[in-house]
Amino acid sequence: MNSSAVSHFTLSAYVDTGPWRYFFFLIVLCLYVLIVLSNVLLVAVICVNRSLHEPMYLFLCSLFVNELYGSTGLFPFLLLHILSDSHTVTAPLCFLQVFSIHSYGHIEFVTLAVMSYDRYLAICFPLQYNSLMTVNRVAALTAIIWFYSLFVILIIVSLMLRLKLCGNFIDKVYCGNFSIVKLCCSDTSVNNIFGLVYLFSIVFGFIVLILFSYIRILKVCFSGSNQTRQKAVSTCSPHLASLLNFSFGAFFEILQNRFDMSSVHIVVRIVLSVYWLTCQPLFNPLFYGLKLSKIRFLCKSLLFGKKPGDS
């Protein structure tokens, strides 16, 4: 049977928690509500305040929208299955979740890569920055990031749909591309070739861009003034924290997909598999909302009626 002939998948990573399921449901629900409220708040603050209509904050706005997109692809699904006795999911819904989750991850990483280059231009070319990174250019880059990411993941899902499957049990709490590919018993050479090209473009494209940007930023910091170093630390530290946090979660997800992790406790495997989809949308608003003074002051003004100049 090929992917289109499979009517449903069974998520075998869920365990029977008895009455504790309501406690776990409440925790996951609180996390989701916190993620939605914090990201919506920062999107609203950036959109409403013209003083934040600058390249860095516009990229952040796209990043926060992506957090809402990615978390919505996972959390309602988790909440439903935590309370359910049957952990089956229809094939179309499973494929839709694969598309949403993987496109979220791609948009997240590419946006963080472009933001590193934006910080490089702002710190290394401060006088030319406004002409190099205009609002129109930011809008064009953001549109390219989203359309390119959605297009690439659409190809990956399309290649997955053509595979012949020999099972429908997924050893995870959500649907993932590699988890479905592992069920196939047909030739996956086309998927593997495209996967290698995709990996090559990520490694030698965006990772090189990130490394290049931060090597140049470090070079300017060591040879520049204290003011330059302070600017670099204040704007780059939340970005670095976000990038490392996402990379940490993505690394463990890739590790679980590529190697046999059956010897690891099921709870540890579940936590590591959802880390990049839960902690990134939760931590990003904290990283940027607390560290960047403009956003912090405007959030205080909106929530507590304080003016930006108040302590």
Side-chain angles (χ1 to χ4, degrees):
M1 56 183 176
N2 58 26
S3 295
S4 59
V6 176
S7 62
H8 69 278
F9 292 95
T10 300
L11 303 171
S12 59
Y14 285 94
V15 294
D16 183 16
T17 55
W20 282 95
R21 70 175 68 183
Y22 302 104
F23 173 72
F24 294 126
F25 175 86
L26 187 61
I27 290 177
V28 174
L29 179 62
C30 289
L31 281 175
Y32 183 46
V33 171
L34 186 59
I35 287 170
V36 170
L37 291 179
S38 58
N39 283 281
V40 167
L41 171 65
L42 293 181
V43 169
V45 166
I46 293 172
C47 290
V48 169
N49 292 276
R50 294 187 62 85
S51 62
L52 296 181
H53 292 181
E54 300 173 5
M56 181 177 71
Y57 298 106
L58 295 177
F59 283 128
L60 281 177
C61 187
S62 174
L63 197 68
F64 297 142
V65 170
N66 189 48
E67 308 302 357
L68 292 169
Y69 168 61
S71 57
T72 301
L74 175 71
F75 277 90
F77 186 88
L78 279 181
L79 291 168
L80 178 66
H81 281 274
I82 287 173
L83 292 182
S84 176
D85 293 321
S86 174
H87 304 299
T88 59
V89 54
T90 61
L93 183 59
C94 192
F95 297 137
L96 178 62
Q97 186 176 50
V98 170
F99 176 79
S100 64
I101 286 176
H102 286 277
S103 57
Y104 156 77
H106 195 278
I107 292 168
E108 188 82 5
F109 185 71
V110 177
T111 302
L112 289 170
V114 172
M115 287 176 67
S116 68
Y117 185 71
D118 171 70
R119 290 301 83 209
Y120 156 69
L121 292 178
I123 293 166
C124 299
F125 302 97
L127 299 180
Q128 298 93 344
Y129 176 70
N130 289 332
S131 60
L132 291 171
M133 194 63 74
T134 62
V135 173
N136 289 337
R137 191 161 294 174
V138 172
L141 285 171
T142 302
I144 291 170
I145 289 169
W146 279 78
F147 283 115
Y148 166 67
S149 300
L150 295 174
F151 178 70
V152 168
I153 303 304
L154 185 62
I155 294 176
I156 291 175
V157 174
S158 299
L159 290 174
M160 179 185 65
L161 289 173
R162 56 179 284 278
L163 295 175
K164 180 182 178 181
L165 301 182
C166 296
N168 63 348
F169 279 81
I170 298 175
D171 190 25
K172 296 184 80 168
V173 294
Y174 62 88
C175 297
N177 172 60
F178 196 75
S179 300
I180 296 176
V181 172
K182 284 195 292 187
L183 298 174
C184 80
C185 49
S186 59
D187 182 27
T188 60
S189 57
V190 176
N191 299 66
N192 293 334
I193 291 170
F194 185 82
L196 288 173
V197 173
Y198 172 70
L199 187 63
F200 182 86
S201 68
I202 291 290
V203 172
F204 292 97
F206 301 114
I207 292 180
V208 169
L209 178 64
I210 292 169
L211 292 175
F212 167 79
S213 300
Y214 273 101
I215 288 171
R216 295 301 300 270
I217 288 171
L218 285 173
K219 184 178 178 181
V220 169
C221 287
F222 283 121
S223 61
S225 62
N226 287 332
Q227 185 179 2
T228 302
R229 282 193 288 271
Q230 288 174 358
K231 179 182 179 181
V233 170
S234 64
T235 60
C236 291
S237 55
H239 177 264
L240 267 176
S242 176
L243 185 61
L244 291 173
N245 183 63
F246 180 76
S247 300
F248 173 81
F251 171 76
F252 278 107
E253 174 62 10
I254 294 170
L255 201 66
Q256 284 196 84
N257 286 332
R258 297 294 176 180
F259 299 98
D260 181 18
M261 303 287 286
S262 57
S263 59
V264 181
H265 195 277
I266 182 65
V267 175
V268 176
R269 278 188 282 143
I270 291 173
V271 170
L272 291 177
S273 69
V274 299
Y275 180 89
W276 68 293
L277 294 165
T278 55
C279 292
Q280 187 73 2
L282 183 64
F283 289 161
N284 262 351
L286 295 176
F287 289 151
Y288 291 102
L290 295 177
K291 188 65 180 175
L292 299 179
S293 57
K294 275 189 177 182
I295 291 182
R296 185 172 67 250
F297 290 150
L298 288 169
C299 284
K300 283 183 179 180
S301 176
L302 182 64
L303 293 174
F304 306 111
K306 292 182 178 182
K307 296 181 180 179
D310 294 343
S311 59

